[in-house]
Amino acid sequence: MSNPGRPVICLGEILVDSFWSSDREKKLSLPGGAPANVACGLAKLGTSAEFIGAVGVDSWGQALAQLLSDLQVGSRGLQSHPTAPTREVYVLTDEMGERSFAGFSLPDPASFADAHVICDRIDPRLFHGTKYLVIGTLGLAYSQTRESILQAVEWMQEQNGRVVLDVNWRPMFWENPAQAMGLVMDLLKHVSFLKLSDTEAQWLLETTDPVAIAAQRPYLEGVMVTAGAAGCRYYLGGYSGHVPGFDVDVEDTTGAGDAFVAGFLHKLCLLGRSCLLDADCAHDVVRYASAVAALTTTRSGAIAGQPTPREVDAFLFLRK
């Protein structure tokens, strides 16, 4: 008898972000990785999610597996790689909470476990009943993980599920960044909901206007272009609009975009996709997602900073 799947599957990297201050003093190490962040954010909000990815047989890998278990994120799709270690990313932070990439714990970006998600080890039954598959683009840089992403997309299409792409452009993950554009554009043809930052939109599509992006690609059911504190412009269900950013005291911007995706999908799972056919409802969904993102920036850590539903509701109530 097959196990019913969870409403959302997040496939891709789970890793450790090690934060360093500008004077090169190590401050702390925290769990991260965009698809893992989304899965954890969904679980905290009360929407069941499954994570598919790979970690090393090391202390970080054990800690990340335990974290998924503690947050009740499904981990039947979590693989352990016998030789490749869990990825550790070095991040520099400044006084404003902004961060910048400072390297990996090993010189070759393809030498980590998340670059080797083995397609044949993914159980297709995980996708039964799944409504949304969340993917980024970093896994496209590695042939084995890329094969797993494309297979997962195929499984979703077979059962009329929706693919959600958060572009998350990070050239340092690619041995040859020039390959990225073509691979991302090929993947985009299978996507229903596209979320990207304004700089990513300019890089990939040469426009930051979600209406123009949707007009170029009519198969897209939704486009959300985020611009940090400037808010989010969107095109959803035929309606376009803008949700201004929330004014909060920023501690750490890591994972804000992933929190946005979690908030967006949490609302879609609660209300159903048909809610996007109403202009007010579409606006409220984006506003909720923006609130989840804003609250996440007020605390350290992409996952540790994610809010509960009660915190989001209170935050929005006070800002009516």
Side-chain angles (χ1 to χ4, degrees):
M1 185 175 167
S2 69
N3 257 322
R6 298 177 186 238
V8 183
I9 289 178
C10 302
L11 191 162
E13 64 279 1
I14 187 168
L15 48 79
V16 174
D17 287 319
S18 288
F19 294 87
W20 299 71
S21 60
S22 50
D23 55 3
R24 295 281 174 166
E25 276 195 26
K26 191 171 183 179
K27 297 198 291 186
L28 76 167
S29 295
L30 294 169
N37 294 343
V38 176
C40 293
L42 282 162
K44 287 191 177 188
L45 291 170
T47 291
S48 182
E50 185 84 29
F51 178 74
I52 297 174
V55 293
V57 185
D58 48 32
S59 58
W60 282 132
Q62 292 170 11
L64 293 172
Q66 186 61 51
L67 173 75
L68 295 176
S69 174
D70 291 346
L71 292 178
Q72 298 184 310
V73 173
S75 56
R76 288 175 293 166
L78 185 66
Q79 304 175 11
S80 292
H81 196 283
T83 56
T86 305
R87 188 183 302 269
E88 186 179 4
V89 181
Y90 297 151
V91 184
L92 284 180
T93 57
D94 65 19
E95 293 75 15
M96 302 298 293
E98 292 296 330
R99 78 272 194 226
S100 57
F101 174 77
F104 297 116
S105 52
L106 293 173
D108 179 6
S111 61
F112 297 97
D114 62 81
H116 305 283
V117 180
I118 310 299
C119 186
D120 291 346
R121 292 180 59 192
I122 301 173
D123 185 351
R125 292 173 299 180
L126 290 177
F127 291 78
H128 292 175
T130 297
K131 296 176 182 174
Y132 301 100
L133 169 68
V134 178
I135 50 176
T137 62
L138 301 187
L140 296 176
Y142 315 110
S143 59
Q144 287 180 315
T145 300
R146 180 166 68 243
E147 182 187 1
S148 295
I149 289 172
L150 298 177
Q151 177 61 75
V153 167
E154 194 175 306
W155 283 328
M156 285 300 292
Q157 290 177 321
E158 283 172 5
Q159 56 169 26
N160 200 31
R162 297 299 192 269
V163 177
V164 181
L165 176 65
D166 184 356
V167 171
N168 196 29
W169 169 235
R170 301 283 185 272
M172 68 288 296
F173 278 76
W174 293 75
E175 187 176 10
N176 180 8
Q179 286 184 317
M181 177 81 73
L183 290 170
V184 175
M185 292 299 269
D186 285 344
L187 179 63
L188 188 55
K189 297 169 188 170
H190 307 289
V191 169
S192 295
F193 293 97
L194 174 66
K195 180 259 171 191
L196 64 180
S197 70
D198 50 357
T199 52
E200 289 165 346
Q202 195 62 52
W203 165 72
L204 187 65
L205 302 163
E206 298 182 337
T207 175
T208 60
D209 180 0
V211 178
I213 294 168
Q216 292 171 15
R217 293 166 175 76
Y219 52 84
L220 289 171
E221 296 175 41
V223 180
M224 291 155 286
V225 179
T226 58
C232 174
R233 290 190 294 159
Y234 64 88
Y235 179 87
L236 292 168
Y239 298 103
S240 63
H242 174 252
V243 171
F246 291 102
D247 186 17
V248 295
D249 292 327
V250 174
E251 172 76 21
D252 176 15
T253 58
T254 309
D258 310 324
F260 180 97
V261 175
F264 174 75
L265 286 175
H266 171 64
K267 274 299 188 187
L268 278 200
C269 288
L270 276 179
L271 302 173
R273 276 194 305 276
S274 60
C275 79
L276 299 179
L277 301 176
D278 176 88
D280 290 338
C281 190
H283 187 273
D284 288 346
V285 168
V286 177
R287 190 167 183 266
Y288 186 92
S290 300
V292 176
L295 279 165
T296 301
T297 69
T298 64
R299 294 178 284 223
S300 286
I303 293 171
Q306 292 167 338
T308 64
R310 184 173 292 180
E311 288 173 322
V312 184
D313 291 342
F315 181 84
L316 287 170
F317 178 77
L318 292 170
R319 283 160 177 79
K320 274 190 173 169

